Amino acid sequence: MSRDPRHDLLFEPVTFGPKTTRNRFWATSHSSGYPDRPGTHASFRAMKAEGGWGVVNTGFCSIHPESDEYPWTSSRLWDEGDVINLGHLTEEIHKHGGLAGVQLWYNGMHSPRYESRESARGPSGLPSNVFPERNVYAAWASEDDIKALINMYVLAAYRAEEAGFDLVEVSGGDTTVPLQFLETRYNKRTDRYGGSFENRARFYVELMTALKKAVGDRLAVTTRFEVDTINGDHRIKHFEEGLGFMELMNKEGIVDLWSIKIGDYEEWGEDAGSSRFRKPNWAAPFVAGARDLVDVPVVSNGRFTSPDDMVTAIKAGQCDLIGAARPSIADPFIPNKIAEGRVDEIRECIGCNMCVSRMQQQALMYCTQNPTTGEEYRRGWHPEETGTSPSPSAVLVVGAGPAGMEAALTLARRGHEVHLRDSAEALGGHWRAVARYPRCSEYGRLITYREVMLEKHKNVSVQLGVPAMSAQEVLDYGAEKVILATGSHWSPVGLGPETHEPLENVHADLPNVLTPEQVSAGKPIPEGKVVVLDGDGHFTGFAMAEIAADLGRETTIVTNTHDVFEYSKFTMEMPNNKRAMYEKGITFLRNHWATGYAGNVLRLFYLYRDTAGLYETAPGQWGRRFGDDVVELECDALILTTSRVPDDSLYWELIERKGEWAEAEIDGVYRIGDCVQPRHAMDAIFEGHRVGMELESPDPQRPLPFIRERQIWGAPTIPQLGDQRPVVEGELLV
Ligand code: ADP
Ligand code: SF4
């Protein structure tokens, strides 16, 4: 297929500073948790270049141990060791024709510094609002300290050049030190770096000037700038200091390209807006006008996955290049697919922020839509090329939810003969209902992508609306291998993570007790006071509460966790979850769990009703004095999002009849996804993909080992004890 001429615009080269990118696709800097694993990191970023992105940026890259982000894993440009590792990354990006960018990051006052244990510098000696619980501050910087800070950036830029980067992007977003100087919230100085707008801008101007002088004739010097923090009077606001600052910098001629964003470090969920709260290109009104103020290219992000939306944004003058972090994770091949007229094959980001959530847990980043994310090096996976099976077989997949769909698609791509069967009338399993929850419509892309791709494979037969398969039918089907992806259901008796017991007098057969499946199927929610008992902590309980509140029910969420929908802390949705609940009058009670439900009273207990001290409870016997206080909550209807229960009966029946497999010519029966153990869709899809990739292994039920990247004892370290660091104190280096 050939490219739609309307999309030609996206493939025009753009020049910024001394560099020219092959097209208008800019893979924005984003963290990944990978930098300590140089192979994983390089292969992950390089995949975007292979998929056609003109510019591929790393994640945030600390320029000095004073801005050590540990326990978060940033890239670092501290010494020669980092140059070697990042040198491998740029080499891989260059192999595929991309320009490599690195984001220079110093966030002193908001850096935990749990590895380096150094003191950081900042405009004023204030505590961090991002990590108030961590007791982190920055020391008030003297004018000499300010020079030292600039020198740190310059040395990092020299190292970036040595590592082969094409551009250095100064982070002036996420409340890093240039922003700390700019914002009155952080800048309490009365010298020439504080007070007036021009004074507060001085550090940023001097910094960009120094970098231009140091490397500007060879590398592009760009910045990622928070044009509006959308968070109140004491911060950057679009129409005043945001645009004003861009104008001021433009006059100085020291920025080769602007990558603009909104939000701040405390709420970077406004930049990485989830689809539950932000539609694609939600930042458009905030960045409007910025492009007209500067003479250099501008990048703007907005979870763009549609080439039409990209073209519209460029034609409307919003930007010159399309920035994307999450869309480039979910589908590193977006540019190539557009270029080849395969737009229907784009694996569109669903905006679930599961990628962000792993990073927020200081873990490794994975993606719901793209199970190969982070697996490019360590498992040798590729998002578009699965290879072909050396021994194709006839495979029956029972269950077409996220796990079953992905397994069927992967097996089909690898040349197996696949039979995907489900008793439901449509693909998607439980995710079909999820995609109909309030705010969750973009989640449906998880199903549509797989539906489109399954249709393109002639070797897969999708059989929907069939009678639920029995063990006998599976044995009689004629498949060589059987994969069960039969899913799970919400506990109808309130089994949950606190007591692991059913609740007294609770069953979803009662008219005033409901599960999410029943709510989705239209079971009426009785009038009056509704309680959502949530042990899940993610988005389902929220959806149930919102459905009830929108029907006018007085809604309360009861949860055992320390915060309501605690996982949303990691997806960066917590603040907006709370705002939405506040707006809708939804209240919540934390650290409580239920024991039973009678009449219209839900009996709860406070998790910490026992004594803090340990006592001699009887002569010679020690323990805690257990509390027996009960909290009684009026409740006319109870919705249970307590936990899910695997639908695994078919699996156990088949295991019981293992002796009959040989006669039925079945080599193996494997189970994947929620029927093994309920889990995030991201992990169900991963398992579907893995079993599809490893079906020929000795035991496909168990994963093959992957490459573990860590220092092996005895290898030399960089630096070594006794090595010296370059001196940053003193006069400006440039
Ligand atoms: P997962 O998240 O693990 O992919 P889901 O719960 O989303 O699981 O999907 C499981 C699917 O399996 C559902 O669509 C359900 O209709 C289907 N299913 C379960 N048991 C059978 C069976 N015995 N025969 C056919 N389909 C089944
Ligand atoms: Fe998009 Fe979700 Fe993948 Fe992140 S995890 S890139 S939000 S689909």
Side-chain angles (χ1 to χ4, degrees):
M1 267 197 267
S2 57
R3 174 162 91 214
D4 184 332
R6 286 177 308 153
H7 304 151
D8 286 351
L9 174 69
L10 300 171
F11 296 90
E12 289 170 358
V14 179
T15 298
F16 55 109
K19 300 287 175 182
T20 299
T21 166
R22 58 184 162 181
N23 57 32
R24 295 180 187 265
F25 292 94
W26 175 278
T28 304
S29 175
H30 69 82
S31 51
S32 62
Y34 305 156
D36 285 349
R37 294 164 168 82
T40 301
H41 196 203
S43 299
F44 164 72
R45 301 279 176 196
M47 194 61 78
K48 302 190 194 200
E50 188 180 335
W53 296 84
V55 176
V56 179
N57 286 287
T58 60
F60 64 151
C61 180
S62 164
I63 58 167
H64 193 276
E66 284 182 16
S67 181
D68 160 32
E69 302 306 317
Y70 198 76
W72 279 269
T73 308
S74 73
S75 287
R76 290 165 170 175
L77 274 168
W78 295 358
D79 55 47
E80 270 309 297
D82 299 320
V83 171
I84 294 169
N85 284 348
L86 289 171
H88 169 58
L89 180 142
T90 61
E91 210 177 285
E92 291 296 303
I93 292 172
H94 290 155
K95 265 187 206 163
H96 299 288
L99 294 179
V102 62
Q103 185 182 71
L104 305 184
W105 170 283
Y106 184 103
N107 210 350
M109 77 175 284
H110 302 303
S111 302
R113 290 164 264 146
Y114 282 5
E115 184 172 0
S116 71
R117 310 183 76 179
E118 300 201 12
S119 302
R121 306 178 228 206
S124 321
L126 296 170
S128 168
N129 54 298
V130 179
F131 302 117
E133 72 287 5
R134 288 178 195 246
N135 212 7
V136 284
Y137 291 65
W140 189 295
S142 66
E143 290 218 0
D144 283 346
D145 288 326
I146 289 174
K147 282 185 202 148
L149 281 170
I150 293 174
N151 286 341
M152 288 176 199
Y153 278 92
V154 168
L155 287 176
Y158 286 144
R159 288 196 192 104
E161 183 179 16
E162 207 189 324
F165 283 103
D166 301 284
L167 67 107
V168 286
E169 173 184 88
V170 170
S171 168
D174 298 307
T175 323
T176 42
V177 78
L179 251 281
Q180 291 165 27
F181 273 92
L182 200 56
E183 287 194 53
T184 53
R185 172 179 192 161
Y186 299 107
N187 190 334
K188 308 294 178 195
R189 303 175 75 93
T190 51
D191 62 2
R192 61 198 192 94
Y193 290 96
S196 69
F197 173 62
E198 284 70 23
N199 278 2
R200 284 182 282 116
R202 191 179 311 281
F203 173 79
Y204 211 153
V205 170
E206 288 182 358
L207 171 60
M208 297 305 289
T209 307
L211 288 173
K212 277 289 268 184
K213 256 199 213 167
V215 296
D217 58 333
R218 298 156 339 258
L219 269 58
V221 179
T222 73
T223 193
R224 181 141 168 85
F225 177 63
E226 229 141 63
V227 74
D228 193 329
T229 53
I230 56 168
N231 251 339
D233 282 347
H234 54 321
R235 309 188 195 174
I236 298 286
K237 282 195 289 181
H238 176 211
F239 293 108
E240 291 143 30
E241 304 203 331
L243 295 182
F245 179 72
M246 289 183 73
E247 250 181 322
L248 181 145
M249 288 284 255
N250 192 58
K251 274 192 213 128
E252 302 283 335
I254 45 178
V255 179
D256 291 333
L257 172 145
W258 291 85
S259 172
I260 46 179
K261 67 184 280 271
I262 58 171
D264 63 2
Y265 203 26
E266 195 177 1
E267 276 207 44
W268 64 275
E270 290 301 350
D271 175 34
S274 82
S275 60
R276 288 180 59 244
F277 290 100
R278 303 286 176 252
K279 294 295 154 215
N281 205 12
W282 69 101
F286 293 92
V287 300
R291 171 74 200 83
D292 296 337
L293 296 175
V294 296
D295 308 315
V296 294
V298 167
V299 180
S300 175
N301 288 52
R303 229 171 54 247
F304 288 109
T305 55
S306 142
D308 295 342
D309 291 352
M310 297 176 192
V311 168
T312 303
I314 293 170
K315 284 196 170 159
Q318 180 180 333
C319 56
D320 304 281
L321 292 108
I322 297 297
R326 289 167 295 168
S328 71
I329 300 167
D331 195 341
F333 279 68
I334 289 181
N336 284 0
K337 288 180 183 176
I338 299 172
E340 292 158 17
R342 295 187 289 126
V343 171
D344 60 331
E345 292 185 19
I346 293 176
R347 199 183 310 100
E348 289 182 286
C349 168
I350 67 171
C352 61
N353 278 11
M354 288 302 292
C355 47
V356 175
S357 80
R358 294 304 170 101
M359 170 62 197
Q360 286 296 71
Q361 294 174 80
Q362 294 112 36
L364 298 175
M365 186 189 74
Y366 305 119
C367 169
T368 301
Q369 273 284 54
N370 178 5
T372 69
T373 300
E375 308 292 357
E376 301 85 351
Y377 173 74
R378 68 176 194 175
R379 288 184 213 265
W381 289 358
H382 188 289
E384 302 302 314
E385 291 161 23
T386 54
T388 47
S389 167
S391 49
S393 47
V395 190
L396 168 66
V397 181
V398 184
M405 285 188 296
E406 180 64 23
L409 178 57
T410 309
L411 291 164
R413 289 162 80 189
R414 301 190 65 236
H416 293 279
E417 177 198 321
V418 186
H419 300 248
L420 175 62
R421 306 193 97 216
D422 199 303
S423 51
E425 297 290 337
L427 289 169
H430 81 291
W431 205 256
R432 267 193 331 279
V434 167
R436 290 197 302 268
Y437 290 169
R439 304 178 186 275
C440 292
S441 59
E442 270 186 49
Y443 287 14
R445 294 169 168 185
L446 188 153
I447 303 170
T448 40
Y449 164 72
R450 286 168 179 81
E451 195 166 18
V452 167
M453 296 308 291
L454 283 166
E455 267 170 24
K456 293 193 179 209
H457 287 85
K458 301 285 164 261
N459 54 335
V460 55
S461 138
V462 178
Q463 301 161 35
L464 299 171
V466 300
M469 288 194 88
S470 64
Q472 190 60 49
E473 280 162 329
V474 171
L475 290 170
D476 292 343
Y477 194 81
E480 292 161 81
K481 302 196 182 196
V482 176
I483 295 174
L484 302 180
T486 48
S488 66
H489 60 275
W490 287 97
S491 168
V493 293
L495 195 71
E498 196 53 48
T499 57
H500 296 112
E501 293 289 344
L503 308 178
E504 277 170 43
N505 303 324
V506 167
H507 199 289
D509 287 345
L510 298 167
N512 56 347
V513 177
L514 302 93
T515 62
E517 291 96 342
Q518 291 176 328
V519 173
S520 295
K523 179 172 172 180
I525 302 175
E527 301 216 349
K529 296 188 174 176
V530 171
V531 173
V532 176
L533 183 64
D534 186 65
D536 176 64
H538 203 180
F539 58 82
T540 302
F542 186 99
M544 295 302 119
E546 193 162 21
I547 291 170
D550 287 348
L551 289 170
R553 312 290 185 260
E554 199 180 310
T555 307
T556 302
I557 295 141
V558 175
T559 177
N560 56 325
T561 48
H562 291 290
D563 212 336
V564 61
F565 306 125
E566 201 145 28
Y567 200 82
S568 69
K569 221 167 48 189
F570 307 128
T571 57
M572 310 295 296
E573 293 169 299
M574 179 72 86
N576 284 328
N577 270 352
K578 285 194 173 163
R579 289 179 183 119
M581 287 193 285
Y582 183 70
E583 274 171 353
K584 298 200 169 192
I586 300 170
T587 54
F588 49 86
L589 189 59
R590 296 168 282 193
N591 292 140
H592 282 73
W593 198 248
T595 53
Y597 186 29
N600 71 339
V601 173
L602 184 65
R603 284 166 69 85
L604 306 172
F605 65 97
Y606 175 54
L607 263 46
Y608 305 106
R609 64 185 171 176
D610 311 328
T611 55
L614 299 175
Y615 296 89
E616 201 168 12
T617 49
Q621 288 187 9
W622 282 72
R624 197 188 281 287
R625 274 192 206 131
F626 294 111
D628 54 9
D629 306 346
V630 168
V631 179
E632 295 193 335
L633 202 63
E634 257 185 80
C635 171
D636 300 302
L638 176 64
I639 305 181
L640 299 168
T641 54
T642 54
S643 72
R644 289 184 289 160
V645 181
D647 289 327
D648 54 5
S649 55
L650 182 57
Y651 176 77
W652 291 117
E653 280 169 46
L654 285 164
I655 292 293
E656 244 171 53
R657 297 177 65 177
K658 201 166 188 172
E660 299 171 47
W661 294 3
E663 201 186 328
E665 295 181 40
I666 291 177
D667 291 345
V669 175
Y670 314 106
R671 57 180 173 152
I672 57 170
D674 295 339
C675 73
V676 186
Q677 45 190 260
R679 58 188 80 188
H680 291 141
M682 175 167 84
D683 296 320
I685 289 178
F686 165 79
E687 196 169 35
H689 193 82
R690 189 200 60 72
V691 88
M693 293 298 289
E694 298 181 352
L695 195 67
E696 304 77 15
S697 77
D699 180 8
Q701 188 68 67
R702 305 288 158 214
L704 293 171
F706 55 84
I707 298 174
R708 288 182 58 212
E709 292 186 83
R710 81 284 201 197
Q711 183 163 4
I712 303 290
W713 187 248
T717 61
I718 298 177
Q720 307 223 333
L721 277 187
D723 285 358
Q724 300 296 314
R725 255 191 214 160
V727 177
V728 290
E729 316 297 336
E731 286 312 300
L732 285 179
L733 288 167
V734 289

